[in-house]
Amino acid sequence: MSTIIDGKGLALKLRSKIKEEVSQFKNEGHRSPHLAAILVGDDGASQTYVASKERDCQFVGFESTVHKLPADTSEQALLDLISSINATDSIDGLIVQLPLPKHMDASKITEAIDPRIDVDGFHTISVGRLTKNEDTYISATPFGVMMMLAEYGIETKGKHCVVIGRSNIVGRPMSILMSRGGYPGESTVTLCHRYTQDLASHTSRADIVIVAVGIPHFLKGDMVKEGAVVIDVGITRVAADNQKGYALQGDAEFDTLVDKCAAITPVPGGVGPMTRYGLLFNTLKSYKSKIIQ
Ligand code: GUN
């Protein structure tokens, strides 16, 4: 019997803990934690993500501010807004939703965020600290996956972990976290990507497979060994005959994997809610660093 990892339920439990903590701080007379988000343009998925981040903030008692800018906003105007938010002491976290319009240099924008409020963990300083296993903001998805492994008590020490996808947001930090010291971690990691030859020869030897490529049903049952743990980071919108007009599909072909795996995350309801929790966790971490002297 395989375990279906309930990311949604776990995130709700962890979010409720944050809510309690926030309420305690407020009872002691402190201000609310505050997350600011900048959304440039009108990408549908980005709008949905930012709206859900706003709802999460509301749930836990954070203040949230969303700056919605038109797609033709100049890069300088965005940099100016980031500077003004950086200088506002009562803002604990700032995220700029990606992707950005093509005329903007996402790397330049990410580097403009003060690392002290870089709750996405995308700044070079945050990534550098992560690489050196120093205290930092770990980007929300890899953080959520690590929390999930820890909460489910999944053994990672000495295990072979295959990460598929080498994006800055997920695959690369994931590969570092899984091999760093402590728990979860201590795994032997293979990082696979688009030029990996004979991918199945790697995945079929893995104890843990983390797939983050953005291609629905990319990882199939015949590519993993019996008893593997599969973490599915993909959430692709595919056209569907429902009210929304789309459904979310993961990178793992759940139906062919589920009976073979020791544990697997579903989509939706797996990694996605844990990612959202990761952002709340980082914002609270920043807040606490200011409030608790
Ligand atoms: N786009 C896709 N995922 C993310 C995320 O975690 N943070 C931001 N800022 N943009 C994203």
Side-chain angles (χ1 to χ4, degrees), residues 21-252:
E21 219 177 321
V22 169
S23 154
Q24 221 160 0
F25 278 117
K26 287 193 202 169
N27 287 342
E28 289 164 11
H30 294 294
R31 64 170 175 83
S32 305
H34 188 168
L35 174 67
I38 303 176
L39 176 61
V40 189
D42 42 25
D43 178 73
S46 292
Q47 282 172 342
T48 307
Y49 291 146
V50 170
S52 57
K53 288 168 188 177
E54 255 185 304
R55 275 198 310 277
D56 290 344
C57 284
Q58 211 170 18
F59 177 86
V60 296
F62 288 5
E63 196 176 324
S64 68
T65 309
V66 178
H67 299 266
K68 291 183 180 155
L69 307 179
D72 62 357
T73 300
S74 72
E75 192 177 75
Q76 192 53 52
L78 177 56
L79 289 167
D80 290 346
L81 175 58
I82 292 171
S83 288
S84 83
I85 294 173
N86 282 342
T88 307
D89 194 47
S90 61
I91 294 180
D92 306 295
L94 168 60
I95 61 164
V96 177
Q97 189 65 28
L98 302 177
L100 285 166
K102 289 205 165 28
H103 67 279
M104 289 186 180
D105 177 349
S107 177
K108 188 170 167 187
I109 298 300
T110 302
E111 296 306 297
I113 296 172
D114 186 327
R116 286 172 297 189
I117 59 168
D118 173 36
V119 289
D120 256 333
F122 293 168
H123 195 286
T124 300
I125 287 183
S126 306
V127 177
R129 287 186 182 140
L130 172 105
T131 306
K132 293 175 74 185
N133 210 5
E134 293 174 359
D135 186 42
T136 187
Y137 298 113
I138 300 172
S139 53
T141 301
F143 177 84
V145 171
M146 297 306 273
M147 278 301 278
M148 213 173 212
L149 294 172
E151 289 280 332
Y152 272 80
I154 290 169
E155 184 57 88
T156 55
K157 193 174 187 174
K159 300 293 180 188
H160 180 207
C161 173
V162 168
V163 178
I164 315 174
R166 58 178 170 187
S167 71
N168 286 332
I169 296 184
V170 185
R172 210 184 309 272
M174 205 67 258
S175 70
I176 294 165
L177 289 167
M178 288 303 288
S179 59
R180 74 174 185 172
Y183 177 76
E186 315 276 22
S187 292
T188 302
V189 174
T190 302
L191 180 57
C192 297
H193 48 79
R194 66 178 69 235
Y195 296 113
T196 297
Q197 292 182 14
D198 194 3
L199 178 68
S201 72
H202 299 284
T203 54
S204 60
R205 287 186 295 111
D207 302 301
I208 302 165
V209 183
I210 301 173
V211 58
V213 290
I215 303 170
H217 296 181
F218 181 79
L219 183 78
K220 300 183 192 305
D222 60 4
M223 295 167 72
V224 306
K225 71 178 181 190
E226 203 75 41
V229 173
V230 170
I231 307 292
D232 185 353
V233 180
I235 30 166
T236 306
R237 285 182 177 199
V238 294
D241 192 14
N242 59 21
Q243 212 179 353
K244 284 182 180 167
Y246 68 86
L248 298 179
Q249 256 178 25
D251 289 353

